Amino acid sequence: MIKKIINFNKPLIDKYEKKFIGDVLKNKKFADGEYQNKCKIFIQKKIKSKCIELTHSCSSALEIAMLLINLKKDDEVIMPSYTFTSTANAVLLRGAKPVFVDVNKDDVNLNPRLVEKKINKKTKAIIVVHYAGVSCDMSYFLKLKKKYGIFLIEDAAHSFMGKYKNQYLGTIGDIGAFSFHETKNLVGGQCGAISINNLNFSKKVKIILDKGTDRSFINNKKKYYSWCGVGSEYRATELSSALLFGQFAKLNKIQNLREKIWNKYNENFSKLSNKNVYFLKNKHKFKKSAYHVFALIFKNIKLRDNFILFMKKKGIDCYFHYYPLHMSKFGRKIKKVKLLETEKIYNGLVRLPLYPSLKNNEVTKIIKITKVFLKYI
C-alpha cells in the first residue's frame, strides 16, 4: 500500500478557472484581452492602488520598476539577501549594484536601522521584501525615503492582501511588485502585477509594457503608434489572466482557509518552550498578514535537515527556503559580507504545508508529528 503524501503546496482549482480558460480557448484571443483587463480592474479596486498592470511575473514587475526609476550603472539598491534571485537580478540587469543588508530575527524582514547605515550618495532605492506575507516596518522605511530622497520599492511577492496600518502591501512605496506564481496564495501560472503608487510613472509604465511604443495612447487624433522609449514584452498572457481571475472569484475563501490553518499551527506551537527552535509570529498591532508561510526556525542546520527528513519519512513534505544571495558563488562576486541573522535563519528555517485544500485531519497530523520531533531535541 502506497503511503499518502501530504503535499507542501497545492493550488485550489475548480469550475471558475476551467470556465474562464475555456472562454479564452473559445474566443481565440490570447493576448491583451478581456481577462487581463478584468484582473487589472479587480486588483486596483481591491487593494486601492492608483494603477495596476498585469505582468508575466513578479520578476517582470521588478525589472519594470528598475526601468521606471531610471536605474543606471554604478547606482546602488539596498535589499535583503534572504530573498529570491529576481530581487537582485532586476538591479544587475540595469548595470547597478545590489547592497545586501541583514534582516530581523523575529520576522525575517529588512532591519531598517542597518539599512540606514548603508545609504550613501550612490543609493538610488531600497527594495523591501515582506517575508511570509508580513509587512516590513514601513513607517521607518518611508522616513528613510523622505530623508534621503530615494525610491522605495515593495517586493510583495508573498503578500498580496497583506496590510500595514490599513494600507495594502504593495501600495505604500513608489512601486509594488506581486507574484501569482503557482506556489503563491493565488495562482496565475507564471503571472504577476505591478502597482504604480507614484503617478509620475503612470505614463512611462504603459510605454514600457507596450514594447517601447505609445500604443496605449492611440485616439481619434492619432491613428498609429510609434517607438518612443525602451520596453519589452512584460504583459501577462490571456490564459494566465483567466486562471488568475478564477482565483479572484474565491479570494476570500482562499485567504480565510489559509488564515485558519496558520492560526491552528500558531495555537499549537506558540506556547511551546524549546531552546532549539522558535516560530515566526505575525501578530502585530499595525500589520495584517497575507498568511503565505508558517515557518519554524531550528538552532542549526543539522536539526533543520533532520526535521525535514523525519517529516518526509512520515509522508509530509516540508522545505527550507532561500539560499541567501550573499552566500552564493555569484553573490560573493558582488561583495563578500557577513550577515549573521540571515545566515542563522537560512540554517534553521523550515516551512510547513499551508494551502486551502489542506484538510483538518492533515493539519492535525502535521502538528502531532512535529511535536513528536520537538519532544526529543
Side-chain angles (χ1 to χ4, degrees), residues 79-89 98 100 322-335 337 339 342:
M79 66 182 67
S81 168
Y82 200 71
T83 182
F84 192 56
T85 54
S86 298
T87 316
N89 280 336
F100 300 124
Y322 306 120
Y323 187 85
L325 299 182
H326 78 282
M327 290 171 60
S328 68
K329 184 177 179 180
F330 188 70
R332 291 198 300 272
K333 291 179 182 178
I334 298 169
K335 187 175 182 180
V337 293
L339 304 176
T342 299

Side-chain angles (χ1 to χ4, degrees), residues 114-146:
L114 296 180
V115 167
E116 186 165 16
K117 292 178 181 179
K118 291 292 184 179
I119 296 174
N120 58 47
K121 291 180 180 179
K122 292 183 178 181
T123 306
K124 189 71 174 277
I126 301 168
I127 301 179
V128 297
V129 178
H130 303 299
Y131 185 79
V134 179
S135 176
C136 295
D137 185 349
M138 293 306 289
S139 293
Y140 201 117
F141 284 111
L142 287 169
K143 287 177 184 176
L144 295 182
K145 167 183 160 54
K146 184 177 181 180

Side-chain angles (χ1 to χ4, degrees), residues 201-264:
F201 298 135
S202 58
K203 183 176 180 180
K204 188 177 179 181
V205 73
K206 292 184 184 297
I207 291 170
I208 292 169
L209 284 159
D210 286 326
K211 281 77 79 178
T213 74
D214 56 359
R215 187 176 67 174
S216 295
F217 305 101
I218 294 176
N219 52 38
N220 292 330
K221 294 180 181 179
K222 184 178 180 180
K223 297 183 179 180
Y224 62 90
Y225 62 83
S226 60
W227 186 22
C228 53
V230 174
S232 190
E233 183 56 88
Y234 287 122
R235 292 192 188 277
T237 67
E238 191 66 357
L239 284 168
S240 288
S241 303
L243 175 59
L244 181 59
F245 197 66
Q247 296 278 284
F248 288 155
K250 48 183 181 286
L251 170 61
N252 290 337
K253 177 183 178 181
I254 288 172
Q255 288 301 105
N256 288 340
L257 286 169
R258 294 186 74 94
E259 181 176 1
K260 183 179 178 182
I261 294 165
W262 195 99
N263 284 334
K264 188 168 182 179

Side-chain angles (χ1 to χ4, degrees), residues 348-377:
L349 191 143
V350 181
R351 296 169 292 158
L352 297 181
L354 178 57
Y355 51 90
S357 58
L358 198 59
K359 297 175 183 176
N360 283 330
N361 66 314
E362 292 175 322
V363 177
T364 300
K365 179 180 178 181
I366 293 165
I367 291 167
K368 181 180 178 181
I369 294 175
T370 298
K371 285 182 175 179
V372 169
F373 182 86
L374 297 179
K375 186 178 179 181
Y376 294 101
I377 64 170

Side-chain angles (χ1 to χ4, degrees), residues 49-112:
S49 170
K50 292 183 174 70
C51 172
I52 288 287
E53 296 289 346
L54 220 60
T55 61
H56 276 162
S57 61
C58 187
S59 301
S60 297
L62 289 167
E63 290 174 27
I64 295 165
M66 298 305 105
L67 286 167
L68 288 171
I69 67 172
N70 196 27
L71 192 67
K72 295 178 180 178
K73 188 176 184 296
D74 296 327
D75 286 339
E76 294 183 354
V77 179
I78 297 172
M79 66 182 67
S81 168
Y82 200 71
T83 182
F84 192 56
T85 54
S86 298
T87 316
N89 280 336
V91 172
L92 291 170
L93 284 167
R94 306 309 309 157
K97 180 184 176 183
V99 175
F100 300 124
V101 172
D102 214 347
V103 295
N104 303 312
K105 175 184 177 181
D106 62 338
D107 61 8
V108 197
N109 284 329
L110 262 181
N111 184 323

Side-chain angles (χ1 to χ4, degrees), residues 260-272:
K260 183 179 178 182
I261 294 165
W262 195 99
N263 284 334
K264 188 168 182 179
Y265 282 147
N266 189 56
E267 287 165 9
N268 278 273
F269 296 134
S270 61
K271 294 178 183 179
L272 291 179

